Amino acid sequence: MEPPDQVAAVILAAGEARRFGSPKQLALLNGRTLLQHVVDAALQAGLAPIITIVPPGIALPGVDVTRIENPEPERGMSHSLRLGFANLPAEVNAALVLLGDQPMVGSRLIGRLLAARGATPFVATLSEGARVPPVLVERSHFGVVEQASGDVGLRDILRRHAELVTAVDEPRMAADVDTVDDLHAIGGG
């Protein structure tokens, strides 16, 4: 009997939130934190385990995830990405990289990304001509994460290796919540 296909979530939520002015992953939108919205979408889509990378000292009340502290958030998104992938269990076949400041990404989009698996080692969301998170990475290419640098995550890797990426078009992709105004624009705050 073949083991079940296991897809994990790696949620990057360790940014310094300089433009927001406070820990944005804990900002409220419809009674839940931004991060809880992302975790809930991952749970509804059946992703497991859910690994969340957070800055030092951030408690996640009510969030049932594996919490990994990034002691150096100033090193950028790629450092958090590497921490998340280093903590994936051996039985995981793929990982979906989500951003903790994209509360409008729902289980429907995650399901579409999962359904597109198979032809290439990466599945990315395509919005306005750009490949953006969420991004699914098959186990065969987990090592590529080590090539990520700075605060751009997998963006440069996906651009350089477009032939390895299946794109799932999502024209209404919700932007990241980078400022308090962004949060107000989607009904939070």
Side-chain angles (χ1 to χ4, degrees):
M1 187 169 140
E2 207 171 298
D5 187 37
Q6 190 172 354
V7 180
V10 174
I11 303 174
L12 307 180
E16 296 182 281
R18 280 180 243 135
R19 289 179 282 174
F20 197 83
S22 63
K24 65 182 172 181
Q25 56 276 74
L26 301 180
L28 293 178
L29 174 65
N30 301 325
R32 293 181 291 154
T33 66
L34 296 182
L35 183 56
Q36 186 67 56
H37 282 273
V38 179
V39 168
D40 289 348
L43 287 169
Q44 290 168 4
L47 302 180
I50 297 173
I51 296 174
T52 304
I53 315 306
V54 296
I58 293 288
L60 303 176
V63 179
D64 186 22
V65 298
T66 299
R67 180 183 171 279
I68 306 293
E69 230 179 61
N70 179 348
E72 302 173 281
E74 68 279 359
R75 291 181 60 189
M77 189 184 305
S78 62
H79 185 61
S80 290
L81 192 61
R82 286 192 297 277
L83 285 171
F85 274 72
N87 283 280
L88 288 171
E91 63 272 11
V92 167
N93 302 98
L96 185 69
V97 179
L98 296 147
L99 302 183
D101 63 358
Q102 285 185 317
M104 305 309 282
V105 168
S107 59
R108 184 190 63 79
L109 174 58
I110 294 172
R112 290 177 58 220
L113 293 164
L114 294 174
R117 289 177 66 199
T120 61
F122 298 99
V123 179
T125 308
L126 182 66
S127 183
E128 298 178 11
R131 291 175 179 91
V132 297
V135 174
L136 186 126
V137 182
E138 295 289 345
R139 174 164 283 288
S140 63
H141 280 66
F142 280 6
V144 171
V145 169
E146 290 301 318
Q147 297 173 22
S149 63
D151 203 31
V152 295
L154 294 170
R155 182 176 56 206
D156 291 341
I157 294 166
L158 298 178
R159 191 177 308 138
R160 283 193 315 268
H161 301 287
E163 74 282 3
L164 300 178
V165 183
T166 297
V168 172
D169 192 35
E170 182 63 31
R172 297 177 314 275
M173 182 66 188
D176 304 354
V177 174
D178 291 325
T179 66
V180 173
D181 287 341
D182 294 341
L183 181 61
H184 292 303
I186 60 171

